[in-house]
Amino acid sequence: MSASQTSDVPTLLVKIFGKDRPGITAGLFDTLAAYSVDVVDIEQVVTRGRMVLCALVTPPAAGLEGDLRATVHSWAESMKMQAEIISGLGDNRPRGLGRSLVTVLGHPLTAESTAAIAARITLAGGNIDRIFRLAKYPVTAVEFAVSGVETEPLRTALVTHAATFGVDIAVVAAGLHRRAQRLVVMDVDSTLIQDEVIELFAAHAGCEDEVAEVTAAAMRGELDFEQSLHARVALLEGLDASVVDKVRSEVRLTPGARTLIRTLKRLGYQVGVVSGGFTQVTDDLKDRLGLDFAQANTLEIIDGKLTGKVTGEIVDRAGKARLLRRFAAEAGVPLAQTVAIGDGANDLDMLNAAGLGVAFNAKPVVRQAAHTAVNVPFLDTVLYLLGVTREEVEAADTHDED
């Protein structure tokens, strides 16, 4: 029967609310089963131990609706719950064309920002069909299912105002393809790790301030990356190669990095890194973290000394996007089903080429150009943008410990 044919069929909305406890759902449907009704829809929500259970059912046989109502109310009272039964016609109204998932990260998530987001969705022509909490820490993450407006205009309406709302917002098209995203590629410096690797090398060479100044200008997009790379590496000339092991030991992973990668791998995703840094560090990270792909520049070492040069293909802004495409091809993943994460101007091409580009604690020029931005210091919050809940992460960790 089509939606238009069922829109005028009588239905009863049975709503039960009160303190949650085992057996409420089974008890309600046992009660309804005595009247041979059919279930059209069910929804249940539990918040701080309080349950709301809604059942949309067909009416009982003629003359029995009054008895059904009395029986449901009596059962609810015996369970110390409240009941409400509303007569009506049909099912939920059809959702509008265009379906998107809006993920909001707040630290904290305020009532004011939530009101602003909801109002902006309405202004864009969208309807909020459902809201679901993904996580309560280290940030509050909620997901809005929205229909009635296409994804791109909704993203524009929300993401451009995210900073004003004081939250991070990601908007992606709903559908099976979201679950099929199978490749995540990250920048390394100030993304996967907290450090800038070349600055760690520079500290051992006594030129940290000079290198940091050039690095900052390059990340802001004020300098050509390749030129700045050669200028910085030249300052390392003569450094003993033994420094490589010292730098590897000094690298600090970003909070949540291990959780992000471990969870992605459990989900069957492939994970890679691309870096304007050096293979002397990224190859070590690949082994330590179980990454599938890793590519960076290579410091030239001759006779146990750094020469102040790099060898091979330069990994710059264009190179990162090229490597994303190469990794996707090798992984057998369509580019539209990739996720890229980065913080600097040299990540922009990669972020824009990916199906979802995430600016992680990024420079302003990057935040403005990426699909979405995350501005909290926990890398695993990216999981929430993929629809993974905190409970799922913790359950998987517990299972591995058993």
Side-chain angles (χ1 to χ4, degrees), residues 35-325:
Y35 295 89
S36 300
V37 299
D38 295 330
V39 178
V40 178
D41 195 6
I42 310 172
E43 185 128 2
Q44 180 173 308
V45 177
V46 178
T47 304
R48 209 184 65 181
R50 307 296 291 183
M51 157 194 268
V52 178
L53 169 61
C54 293
L56 190 66
V57 300
T58 57
L64 294 179
E65 182 176 327
D67 188 56
L68 179 149
R69 287 174 176 269
T71 302
V72 168
H73 279 284
S74 177
W75 168 82
E77 185 176 347
S78 72
M79 300 299 292
K80 298 183 179 179
M81 306 286 283
Q82 292 178 277
E84 182 179 7
I85 303 175
I86 304 171
S87 299
L89 298 175
D91 197 348
N92 300 314
R93 63 182 177 84
R95 295 181 182 178
L97 297 177
R99 298 183 186 179
S100 304
L101 297 171
V102 178
T103 306
V104 179
L105 308 181
H107 191 58
L109 178 62
T110 67
E112 182 180 10
S113 60
T114 305
I117 293 163
R120 184 64 58 175
I121 290 172
T122 301
L123 191 62
N127 182 72
I128 300 171
D129 299 319
R130 183 171 297 178
I131 305 174
F132 176 72
R133 187 178 72 181
L134 297 167
K136 60 183 178 181
Y137 72 91
V139 298
T140 300
V142 295
E143 182 177 271
F144 295 75
V146 177
S147 62
V149 60
E150 295 298 331
T151 299
E152 285 305 320
L154 181 62
R155 177 185 289 142
T156 299
L158 291 174
V159 174
T160 54
H161 292 86
T164 303
F165 300 155
V167 296
D168 298 325
I169 301 177
V171 182
V172 298
L176 291 176
H177 67 278
R178 188 198 193 199
R179 299 181 184 178
Q181 289 174 320
R182 292 295 185 189
L183 174 66
V184 176
V185 176
M186 289 175 275
D187 174 43
V188 175
D189 293 5
S190 298
T191 300
L192 178 63
I193 67 174
Q194 300 177 58
D195 313 283
E196 292 287 333
V197 168
I198 196 165
E199 293 178 12
L200 296 179
F201 277 101
H204 291 280
C207 56
E208 187 175 12
D209 290 344
E210 292 175 72
V211 166
E213 184 178 340
V214 178
T215 299
M219 292 301 98
R220 292 192 300 265
E222 297 170 3
L223 292 177
D224 172 79
F225 178 80
E226 184 171 351
Q227 291 178 337
S228 71
L229 174 67
H230 288 304
R232 289 174 290 173
V233 171
L235 296 170
L236 306 181
E237 182 180 0
L239 200 59
D240 194 271
S242 63
V243 166
V244 169
D245 287 335
K246 295 178 182 178
V247 168
R248 286 174 175 173
S249 68
E250 292 166 352
V251 165
R252 300 167 300 162
L253 292 174
T254 297
R258 288 187 183 277
T259 300
L260 172 66
I261 294 170
R262 182 174 64 245
T263 304
L264 291 173
K265 297 295 289 181
R266 287 172 178 160
L267 290 170
Y269 282 49
Q270 296 190 57
V271 185
V273 294
V274 291
S275 176
F278 309 110
T279 56
Q280 282 84 358
V281 171
T282 58
D283 287 350
D284 180 61
L285 288 170
K286 180 181 180 183
D287 292 340
R288 286 167 52 195
L289 300 173
L291 302 174
D292 300 284
F293 304 98
Q295 189 69 44
N297 299 302
T298 299
L299 291 169
E300 184 180 64
I301 299 175
I302 297 178
D303 296 330
K305 302 287 185 181
L306 274 64
T307 67
K309 299 178 182 178
V310 292
T311 63
E313 179 183 5
I314 297 297
V315 179
D316 56 7
R317 175 170 169 168
K320 288 189 174 186
R322 184 169 59 250
L323 287 164
L324 172 70
R325 294 185 176 92

